[in-house]
Amino acid sequence: MIAVRSLEQFPNRASQAPESAESERDIRQLFVGKGRQYRLLFVVERGRVSILYVRHSSQSWLNE
């Protein structure tokens, strides 16, 4: 998927996820798929992108 691969070069272009407020980590989110149907939650640490979750956009936030 092109959007996911683009995180390699521009990971901080994605917005901060609501879950980041409850965490010590800067969790970011990227909506992907046809009609933005999936939400990737990821962190950028030491130049490395680590995907934490792939959730359907209809699912509630992790802290709910």
Side-chain angles (χ1 to χ4, degrees), residues 4-54:
V4 176
R5 282 192 226 130
S6 71
L7 290 175
E8 186 176 21
Q9 292 182 343
F10 305 108
N12 293 319
R13 70 177 166 83
S15 63
Q16 194 172 40
E19 291 87 348
S20 191
E22 303 271 331
S23 174
E24 295 178 9
R25 300 167 92 182
D26 181 23
I27 301 173
R28 298 196 165 262
Q29 65 183 358
L30 179 67
F31 290 91
V32 297
K34 187 176 181 179
R36 297 172 36 135
Q37 71 189 103
Y38 295 100
R39 187 168 72 112
L40 271 60
L41 297 172
F42 66 94
V43 293
V44 181
E45 297 173 326
R46 289 177 269 155
R48 171 177 258 164
V49 175
S50 299
I51 296 175
L52 305 173
Y53 295 98
V54 178

